[in-house]
Amino acid sequence: MTDLAPLSRALISVSDKTGLIEFATALAARGVDLLSTGGTAKALREAGLAVRDVSEVTKFPEMMDGRVKTLHPMVHGGLLALRDNPDHQAAMAEHNIAPIDLLVVNLYPFEATVAKGASYEDCVENIDIGGPAMIRAAAKNHGFVSVVTDPEDYTALLAELDAQGGQTTLRFRQTLAQTAYARTAAYDAAVSTWMADALGDPAPRRHAVAGRLVQSLRYGENPHQAAAFYTDGTGRAGVATAKQHQGKELSYNNINDTDAAFELVSEFLPDGGPACAIIKHANPCGVARGASLTEAYLRAFDCDRTSAFGGIIAFNQPLDGATAEEITKIFTEVVIAPGADEEARAIFAAKKNLRLLTTDALADPKAAAMTIRQVSGGYLVQDKDNGQIDLSNLKVVTKLKPSDAQLTDLLFAWKVAKHVKSNAIVYVNDGATVGIGAGQMSRVDSSRIAARKAQDMADILGLAQSPAIGSVLASDAFFPFPDGLLSAAEAGATAVIQPGGSMRDDEVIAAADEAGLAMVFTGMRHFRH
């Protein structure tokens, strides 16, 4: 293994031809001989570049619809031969194998084929075989060979050649090799995951996860923790695919909270009217609908003005200037919305520390996805909580039936409770949260905190009474005893939505009847830890 390795012959075979001609032209100008296959060779020739077909080297034509073209000793010998090993050199001379100093390969677009809903057969045909084999060979022999799997690295390679007089350093080749192995690992992970899905196997014997670096973060949840942000390749609308228009780099906590905010607000479809969610430490401190985006924001802000300071704000409709003006009246970390008009962007431009993110759409709350959580020595995998209910799913279990207005608020509260850390209690009055109790070990404590928050809201806004009076309440899980329900009644709630399913449901229902509450069961729980 040597530090500096010359680069005089390259094999280029790419599906993604972004920047191909410019890159290959630059290589040729530096005296590099070009070897290629199929469509790549055709594109290079059409650009006027001298290129030799792999089939000329192997003395075998491409066959079986392109399935066999580079799986040959003339190719792999050129990639794997150790340049400082006499036996390898003798074998190369005996079999007339020329060294390949640079491999440029990006793989068949398997992930994109799956994403567009292609048939099983088309997906199989887009599983690359020769590409990964060559990449792994070149990466293994990084002592002498450079391997490029991403057009983003073209510029870096050319700069390296210029800096090192047409050679590459070992450190540079090692970096390329690491990227190459990560790419083939991600590719194989995509294939194995797709195949498990095709088989309907939710728990395959081996499970692979891969991501692509978005950014290295300043630190993690705390300053002493290193961190980085990766995308999973699904393209789901949200913080991972959003465009940042201004402000500092997002931090670990910013990203986590922004994701929570956008996933919550995406529960409220735009055709139902504007909606706003304000998040602090991954929990909502205010969620509301309104006749306008500004009204939705102000109603969400009123729920807990203290916690909203330094929070994350998400909208279900494009941000407008009037709403942006209101937001700038307090310190806000991040605003995310499916678009923002010029007036809103101009207003935010004066707030250099405020990050504005826009997406092309809302996240689909019904879409299937997977969530992963690390535990010591392993990780837990589960379906994303995409459970949805509507009026047809509700079971009225009390003597008193909820009114139409109460039912609307109950469904609103239920959507919010889904995104509150358990134990979760949410009070809602006229399409806006008025008290949220989150993350308590006891459901009674969450009920008391939510009621206290409602009273705080009344005190801050100068209301004559707590907005919990006349409200509805959502609980993410069943009430195991009547005490939590009675706490809600004492706070002024008039209707309750909860999953049901407790061994003491009869006692809880009786307590609701005695307190004059209307109550519905959903049959679905929304624990969130």
Side-chain angles (χ1 to χ4, degrees), residues 83-103:
R83 314 304 199 250
D84 58 359
N85 184 309
D87 290 339
H88 287 207
Q89 292 298 305
M92 292 177 75
E94 180 182 353
H95 298 287
N96 197 29
I97 298 174
I100 298 171
D101 308 309
L102 169 65
L103 177 72

Side-chain angles (χ1 to χ4, degrees), residues 246-327:
Q246 65 170 68
K248 298 181 296 184
E249 252 189 13
L250 292 168
S251 70
Y252 180 100
N253 292 325
N254 290 154
I255 292 168
N256 189 52
D257 288 352
T258 302
D259 178 65
F262 197 69
E263 287 290 325
L264 194 166
V265 87
S266 292
E267 297 277 356
F268 301 100
L269 299 180
D271 58 11
C276 173
I278 305 175
I279 295 289
K280 197 74 170 288
H281 296 299
N283 273 308
C285 51
V287 186
R289 280 198 181 277
S292 66
L293 216 60
T294 303
E295 183 183 27
Y297 163 68
L298 290 174
R299 298 185 77 208
F301 177 55
D302 282 345
C303 179
D304 189 348
R305 290 186 174 187
T306 302
S307 298
F309 184 86
I312 311 293
I313 302 173
F315 295 99
N316 71 339
Q317 294 181 4
L319 181 66
D320 56 50
T323 308
E325 191 68 54
E326 287 293 336
I327 291 171

Side-chain angles (χ1 to χ4, degrees), residues 146-170:
S146 298
V147 54
V148 173
T149 57
D150 194 326
E152 290 182 15
D153 290 326
Y154 291 169
T155 300
L157 176 65
L158 295 175
E160 174 78 357
L161 292 175
D162 290 343
Q164 304 299 334
Q167 303 180 96
T168 59
T169 61
L170 176 59

